[in-house]
Amino acid sequence: MQAELNLSFFKKNGYLRKQCKACGSYFWTLDEKKEVCGDQPCTPFSFIGKPLTKKPFTLSEMRETFLSFFERHGHTRLKPYPVVARWRKDIYLTIASIADFQPHVTSGLVPPPANPLVISQPSIRLNDLDEVGVSGRHLTVFEMMGHHAFNSEKKFIYWTEGTVSYCNDFLVKELGVDQKEITYKESLWEGGGNAGPCLEVLAGGLEVATLVFMSLEEKNDGEYLIEGKRYSPMPLKVVDTGYGLERLTWVSQGTNTIYDVLYPEVIKWITENSRVEDKHAIYALADHTKCIAFMLGDGIVPSNVKEGYLARLMIRRSLRFMERLDLNEPLSTLVDMQIKNLSSDFPRLSKAREHIDEVISIETKKYKELVGRGKRLVRRFLKENKRVGTETLIELYDTQGIHPDMVRQIAAEMGKKIVVPENFDSLVAERHSAEQEKKVKETFSLPELPPTRLLYYEDHYRKKCRAKVLWCENKGEESLVVLDETVFYPEGGGQPSDIGLIKINDVKMDVKHVEKQGDIVVHHVNGKPKKGEEVECEINWERRYSLMKHHTGTHLINSACRNVLGEHVWQAGSQLDVDEARFDFTHYKPLSQEDVKKIEGLANDFIKKGVKVEKKVIDRSEAEKLYGMRLYQGGVPEGRKIRVLNIPGIDVEACGGTHVDNTREIERIKILKTERIQDGVNRVIFAAGKRNVEDVERREEKLLHGLNQRLENLFIIENKEVSQPGMLLKEIAAIFSVPVDKLENTIEKFLKDLPKKDRVSAKDTKDACQMLFNMWKRANKEKKKVPLDLINSLKNNAQKVGSITVITVDNPDKIESLDAVAVAGAAVKENKTIVCVNDGKGVVMAASDDVPIDLRPIAKKVGEILDGGGGGKQRMVRAGGSNLDKLNEAFEEAKKLILLNLQEQ
């Protein structure tokens, strides 16, 4: 490795190779007297107050100087990629410029977008979070300026000599840095599955660039062992350079810290509006708010998983800094300042400003709610747990969102000491910065076979084919069958497999399931064909066509969501079925009825337009140039060539499913249900195809008719005509806060709970439902008003067990249709009181706070008598079940167990 860094450039220019007396590293310098490498902490900064360049540069000026220099030297300028690494399976955030080209370009699988190229890539690294604001030089968000060359056997661009020469010319001739100020420290770099020797370029005590000569790739049987991993030579030799835009700008101005160069206006505003002076917190907050602007501007939705976890971590960390500074202003004010400063260089952030502000507002509200309930949770947690280590703190943060600072503070109030790692935030960020390894799907053993010819891709409408059996293995009544070609689509990408028939002469065998292993399609067949036999294959076309409509429909729903809700919408999953499909996507709040109406309307507009659906296989690099990273919404496919579905003006995605040829074939789309399946992710369930939608509408009309019949027990409904039953049912469901499929039972329950009364007029079904809900709410409120006379009456019939008053109510009539929980709660406001009530639906028990009893085990035993269960809080429980014939027996058992418990005390 060292031999590759023993360059002619160094010898020709009089550089000496020395070993650092402080750290032991080898470095190249023009200074005969230099004894240390020039890196921190071996040497202090020498450029503070003494800038190294010929003039001071702004960020924009430094970026343009770098890009223009390399353009003049034959490099193609690329636009920066997003900070969310959508094209990668292993990381969530773009951590360097080379990350744009890993793994497909660096492996040689895909040609680079240009060669050589130059780029200034916004990058985010959270592994040194706790150093940000403290060290004076650490950042979470920065631009890595890089010039890259991809050398192959057929095409050599430049390697070590050319790279160092370019670096020297840029720093010395373009920026005016004294050549004697520059040292080149030898090192070894590894990351993203690649490795190679590198030179760290140091000036004034600061590393301003890294020149990596990537020549190795990670392999299990590799001949080189580096940092516990094995590597082998790569087919390409990749020049991977990283010049720190912010660091170079800093050495050109020579300010005390890097933050003073980057955020002077923001720092001034924070300082003027804070009530506490804390430089570290001010600097960190200035940095973090820029990081948040990029994260949210590039479409991350805060959540508890993946990149959303990291965005929420940064937002909450910023809010804690604001608390520390006693800065009583919205976080969005600071982020808006950052966006304004970045607007000329990154106009996409300005376009997302309104969305960013709304997300921050929602996240701030969640944080404040968390702080309120978190304090109670922590106190209870600390009472129950004597030892609290790092892993426990991480679990508490991951599952409850509670930061260890809060745990430490409350522990101190309780006289306990909790040790929190100083790098806690960096620790959790590191754990959540890379994709966790997924379980590999179990496979079965196959002999060496040629790839299956995939006829379903050659023609998505092909229903039949003749094929030859290449391999067959019997599994009882079922066989695993491999054919030389097939029309059967294997399960994948959220689309179920085809089913159908395989015929041999007059014998028909059902194909129950189809899957793909590597490039071989395996059919699960209810029969026993033999190797070498000719078979006729026929898919269930009606099923396939319905799946095609739903699959293309998913792309229309995706586009409609993005158009209605914003560019941050990103597919989080999908699953198709014959009758309906679901589409999961990132969004920061639940959908409103208006949102749903707009999404459904727009999806149907796409259908009416009759847009031709393009299905093509193209080079990955060409696809990325044409369509950008939106391609990878459904995941990142393997291979140099990828299958792309393009519905011009609507949606484009790398997709391996089967699709219709024209959006008009989908006929209709109807959204059946929407729900929030996890924090930051919504789900839309919809039906596609005229027949499916009409089936749904018939069910909706039937349901609405049934609701009207039930409502007529209490209401005279003047107008029952409705043009959109589905929309009406959703509006009614929203009144009762239940899903549509629970409406019948809910309305039945509400009607049952109300006292009988004369029918009243309602203008329509929705009005009747709103009136019913209001009546029930008032009646429920009345039920919870417990007259003092009633409590006194019940106490008159109570018994004493020592100093405890035990009130028992064996008949629901005795509580006058009032809520049993409310009655029990009112009764135990008196000290040393226990209540046991039979309310006709179960047994309610309660005790005042000064009675040393846990009613939960009693409730559980009583519930078992009723073929059910019981539970609640320690001193307020309910037991119930389906067998109400034994309610009296259960009530007597409850009394018995309460008295027994008291007598034992």
Side-chain angles (χ1 to χ4, degrees):
M1 290 289 178
Q2 187 274 324
E4 289 201 64
L5 302 178
N6 193 8
L7 307 181
S8 298
F9 171 87
F10 292 141
K11 294 172 184 175
K12 286 178 184 177
N13 288 279
Y15 280 83
L16 301 171
R17 186 172 187 256
K18 294 189 169 191
Q19 187 172 20
C20 179
K21 289 195 172 180
C23 69
S25 299
Y26 288 95
F27 64 96
W28 295 86
T29 179
L30 290 171
D31 187 349
E32 293 180 2
K33 297 178 181 178
K34 200 172 185 71
E35 295 186 335
V36 290
C37 62
D39 198 2
Q40 293 260 304
C42 302
T43 188
F45 294 145
S46 63
F47 64 88
I48 304 298
K50 299 174 184 177
L52 300 181
T53 56
K54 61 188 176 185
K55 64 161 193 155
F57 289 82
T58 65
L59 279 178
S60 296
E61 288 168 347
M62 183 63 77
R63 184 192 300 113
E64 186 53 40
T65 300
F66 179 85
L67 295 172
S68 297
F69 172 83
F70 282 97
E71 272 190 312
R72 292 197 306 273
H73 289 83
H75 293 65
T76 301
R77 183 189 298 211
L78 293 191
K79 290 181 180 178
Y81 285 43
V83 297
V84 197
R86 306 287 195 191
W87 60 95
R88 297 282 295 266
K89 289 182 177 180
D90 54 339
I91 55 174
Y92 301 127
L93 302 175
T94 308
I95 56 174
S97 59
I98 194 63
D100 299 347
F101 314 110
Q102 288 175 308
H104 301 109
V105 175
T106 54
S107 67
L109 183 70
V110 174
N115 195 11
L117 61 85
V118 64
I119 190 170
S120 185
Q121 176 60 51
S123 306
I124 295 176
R125 292 183 189 174
L126 306 181
N127 53 320
D128 288 319
L129 258 182
D130 302 281
E131 289 293 326
V132 176
V134 178
S135 69
R137 61 191 171 94
H138 281 86
L139 303 168
T140 60
V141 60
F142 56 93
E143 280 184 62
M144 185 173 281
M145 303 186 297
H147 58 98
H148 299 281
F150 304 88
N151 299 287
S152 65
E153 288 183 7
K154 293 180 180 178
K155 187 175 183 180
F156 180 82
I157 310 298
Y158 59 84
W159 189 228
T160 49
E161 298 286 355
T163 303
V164 176
S165 181
Y166 276 136
C167 178
N168 178 78
D169 288 353
F170 173 68
L171 295 176
V172 177
K173 297 177 181 178
E174 199 73 15
L175 299 186
V177 178
D178 184 346
Q179 197 170 10
K180 290 181 181 178
E181 285 283 348
I182 302 168
T183 59
Y184 296 88
K185 177 182 169 184
E186 294 179 5
S187 188
L188 189 66
W189 176 92
E190 61 101 16
N194 301 115
C198 76
L199 291 168
E200 295 171 4
V201 185
L202 306 152
L206 183 69
E207 183 182 345
V208 294
T210 306
L211 313 177
V212 176
F213 306 105
M214 191 188 293
S215 54
L216 301 174
E217 60 185 354
E218 194 176 339
K219 286 195 174 176
N220 291 334
D221 57 351
E223 56 213 81
Y224 300 104
L225 183 64
I226 302 171
E227 300 289 333
K229 298 174 185 175
R230 293 212 162 267
Y231 291 86
S232 291
M234 291 166 56
L236 297 182
K237 285 189 169 185
V238 179
V239 172
D240 167 24
T241 67
Y243 295 68
L245 168 63
E246 292 80 5
R247 290 188 171 201
L248 284 167
T249 306
W250 185 20
V251 300
S252 83
Q253 294 191 29
T255 56
N256 286 331
T257 74
I258 198 168
Y259 315 114
D260 297 306
V261 173
L262 305 180
Y263 314 117
E265 295 172 17
V266 176
I267 289 169
K268 183 174 183 289
W269 187 91
I270 296 173
T271 304
E272 290 174 351
N273 288 276
S274 300
R275 294 179 179 85
V276 175
E277 189 175 340
D278 183 333
K279 276 285 184 186
H280 294 164
I282 291 170
Y283 287 151
L285 185 57
D287 165 88
H288 289 10
T289 46
K290 179 179 176 181
C291 183
I292 291 166
F294 270 102
M295 282 178 149
L296 302 185
D298 275 355
I300 298 181
V301 173
S303 69
N304 293 327
V305 295
K306 300 185 178 182
E307 64 271 11
Y309 178 100
L310 300 173
R312 178 165 287 166
L313 173 72
M314 293 306 294
I315 290 171
R316 290 185 175 176
R317 186 172 159 84
S318 298
L319 290 168
R320 288 196 301 276
F321 279 127
M322 293 179 79
E323 289 173 351
R324 191 160 131 188
L325 292 164
D326 198 8
L327 178 58
N328 297 319
E329 295 287 341
L331 176 59
S332 56
T333 302
L334 279 167
V335 177
D336 283 349
M337 287 177 71
Q338 298 282 14
I339 292 171
K340 185 180 177 183
N341 292 337
L342 293 163
S343 60
S344 58
D345 294 324
F346 300 95
R348 70 178 189 269
L349 300 183
S350 295
K351 291 177 184 175
R353 188 171 184 166
E354 190 176 323
H355 153 72
I356 291 170
D357 286 351
E358 186 178 8
V359 171
I360 290 172
S361 174
I362 291 170
E363 284 298 305
T364 302
K365 184 180 177 185
K366 285 181 180 178
Y367 173 74
K368 288 179 178 176
E369 290 170 352
L370 169 70
V371 170
R373 73 171 185 274
K375 288 178 180 177
R376 295 190 297 274
L377 194 151
V378 169
R379 286 192 179 91
R380 187 167 71 246
F381 178 82
L382 291 172
K383 284 178 184 177
E384 295 171 358
N385 294 271
K386 291 183 179 179
R387 295 186 64 185
V388 180
T390 300
E391 288 301 318
T392 307
L393 291 171
I394 289 173
E395 185 180 354
L396 198 58
Y397 183 78
D398 281 353
T399 57
Q400 304 293 336
I402 295 169
H403 195 270
D405 284 351
M406 182 191 291
V407 182
R408 179 165 47 194
Q409 179 187 339
I410 293 171
E413 292 169 6
M414 296 170 67
K416 295 185 176 185
K417 186 178 180 181
I418 300 291
V419 178
V420 179
E422 289 184 7
N423 66 334
F424 180 84
D425 285 357
S426 301
L427 197 62
V428 294
E430 187 76 18
R431 288 195 181 192
H432 289 268
S433 290
E435 181 72 74
Q436 300 299 310
E437 277 192 37
K438 293 178 180 175
K439 286 186 179 178
V440 178
K441 185 181 175 184
E442 286 187 22
T443 58
F444 34 79
S445 179
L446 288 173
E448 193 171 323
L449 295 166
T452 310
R453 183 180 174 188
L454 310 178
L455 300 174
Y456 53 82
Y457 279 148
E458 294 178 19
D459 180 1
H460 291 210
Y461 289 78
R462 186 164 177 176
K463 306 173 185 68
K464 297 179 182 181
C465 76
R466 293 196 66 82
K468 184 179 180 180
V469 178
L470 298 183
W471 176 81
C472 180
E473 182 176 291
N474 295 330
K475 299 275 188 181
E477 293 298 313
E478 184 182 270
S479 296
L480 302 178
V481 178
V482 175
L483 306 172
D484 62 341
E485 56 187 45
T486 187
V487 285
F488 284 93
Y489 178 85
E491 181 180 11
Q495 181 172 328
S497 77
D498 286 329
I499 59 173
L501 296 171
I502 283 180
K503 301 178 194 174
I504 304 173
N505 299 322
D506 294 329
V507 179
K508 294 180 180 180
M509 290 174 263
D510 291 329
V511 177
K512 299 287 190 182
H513 179 66
V514 186
E515 59 186 302
K516 198 161 182 262
Q517 189 168 307
D519 51 12
I520 295 170
V521 176
V522 182
H523 307 73
H524 293 247
V525 179
N526 190 12
K528 299 178 181 179
K530 295 175 183 175
K531 181 180 176 180
E533 285 187 311
E534 292 282 338
V535 298
E536 186 178 336
C537 304
E538 183 175 357
I539 63 170
N540 180 329
W541 171 247
E542 187 178 347
R543 169 190 164 87
R544 158 77 81 80
Y545 195 42
S546 183
L547 289 169
M548 286 165 63
K549 289 178 182 179
H550 279 102
H551 206 152
T552 311
T554 300
H555 290 265
L556 303 193
I557 288 286
N558 185 358
S559 177
C561 287
R562 193 163 59 249
N563 277 277
V564 172
L565 305 172
E567 287 296 312
H568 62 278
V569 166
W570 194 269
Q571 182 175 329
S574 66
Q575 185 61 51
L576 311 177
D577 209 336
V578 178
D579 302 320
E580 63 183 37
R582 67 166 170 79
F583 174 69
D584 302 339
F585 61 96
T586 56
H587 188 49
Y588 49 89
K589 61 182 179 180
L591 300 186
S592 67
Q593 285 300 316
E594 188 60 29
D595 291 334
V596 175
K597 191 174 180 180
K598 285 179 181 176
I599 292 165
E600 184 181 288
L602 189 53
N604 281 297
D605 285 346
F606 293 152
I607 291 171
K608 290 171 190 171
K609 285 180 180 178
V611 181
K612 185 181 178 183
V613 178
E614 300 173 0
K615 311 153 194 174
K616 49 192 175 184
V617 178
I618 52 178
D619 279 339
R620 181 187 296 272
S621 56
E622 183 64 22
E624 288 181 1
K625 282 180 189 174
L626 287 171
Y627 307 118
M629 296 307 153
R630 280 276 170 201
L631 276 171
Y632 301 128
Q633 290 210 59
V636 184
E638 300 293 339
R640 180 183 183 123
K641 290 183 178 289
I642 58 175
R643 194 169 297 278
V644 174
L645 180 90
N646 181 32
I647 311 173
I650 298 174
D651 191 50
V652 62
E653 189 176 322
C655 181
T658 56
H659 293 273
V660 297
D661 283 343
N662 191 292
T663 60
R664 193 176 286 117
E665 292 178 56
I666 300 171
E667 299 169 316
R668 283 183 68 190
I669 278 178
K670 184 178 181 65
I671 294 177
L672 311 178
K673 182 182 180 182
T674 65
E675 57 185 335
R676 193 134 171 99
I677 59 168
Q678 68 181 56
D679 197 17
V681 179
N682 285 333
R683 171 171 291 170
V684 169
I685 299 174
F686 68 95
K690 186 179 178 184
R691 194 185 74 179
N692 285 327
V693 171
E694 287 177 349
D695 286 347
V696 169
E697 289 177 342
R698 277 192 291 272
R699 291 197 297 272
E700 288 174 344
E701 287 169 3
K702 185 179 177 182
L703 174 58
L704 192 57
H705 178 71
L707 294 185
N708 280 326
Q709 284 186 315
R710 284 174 171 77
L711 290 165
E712 283 178 337
N713 291 322
L714 188 58
F715 300 98
I716 301 166
I717 301 172
E718 295 170 7
N719 180 17
K720 296 178 189 173
E721 296 297 320
V722 58
S723 58
Q724 291 183 301
M727 193 58 68
L728 176 59
L729 287 168
K730 286 171 189 169
E731 290 171 357
I732 293 171
I735 292 171
F736 294 100
S737 299
V738 296
V740 170
D741 57 3
K742 302 286 184 190
L743 267 179
E744 279 188 295
N745 290 339
T746 302
I747 286 176
E748 189 73 47
K749 179 185 179 301
F750 274 50
L751 288 167
K752 202 173 181 181
D753 285 351
L754 288 175
K756 290 183 179 179
K757 57 189 295 185
D758 292 339
R759 293 167 73 202
V760 294
S761 291
K763 62 182 180 182
D764 53 33
T765 307
K766 184 180 175 182
D767 184 43
C769 289
Q770 187 65 65
M771 290 169 70
L772 172 63
F773 180 77
N774 294 341
M775 288 175 180
W776 179 86
K777 203 172 177 183
R778 284 195 298 270
N780 212 37
K781 196 173 180 182
E782 287 299 316
K783 278 185 181 180
K784 290 182 179 179
K785 288 182 182 176
V786 183
L788 186 59
D789 290 349
L790 175 64
I791 299 298
N792 291 332
S793 168
L794 296 175
K795 283 166 66 178
N796 289 336
N797 296 311
Q799 68 181 98
K800 283 273 189 179
V801 179
S803 62
I804 310 293
T805 301
V806 180
I807 300 172
T808 56
V809 182
D810 60 2
N811 191 321
D813 293 340
K814 291 183 180 179
I815 59 172
E816 303 169 5
S817 300
L818 294 171
D819 180 72
V821 173
V823 172
V828 298
K829 286 180 181 176
E830 294 262 351
N831 287 341
K832 296 192 178 298
T833 304
I834 288 185
V835 182
C836 181
V837 182
N838 172 358
D839 68 349
K841 295 177 280 188
V843 179
V844 173
M845 292 168 274
S848 56
D849 289 341
D850 56 352
V851 177
I853 191 170
D854 188 347
L855 295 169
R856 289 171 294 190
I858 298 174
K860 187 178 178 184
K861 289 180 181 177
V862 172
E864 287 171 358
I865 296 171
L866 300 171
D867 296 337
K873 296 180 181 177
Q874 182 181 344
R875 292 183 177 84
M876 175 64 80
V877 295
R878 172 183 278 283
S882 57
N883 191 358
L884 295 182
D885 291 339
K886 289 190 173 183
L887 187 53
N888 289 333
E889 180 188 334
F891 175 74
E892 292 300 324
E893 181 67 13
K895 281 193 336 187
K896 177 182 156 188
L897 291 172
I898 289 171
L899 294 172
L900 190 63
N901 189 290
L902 293 176
Q903 287 162 4
E904 289 175 350
Q905 291 179 16

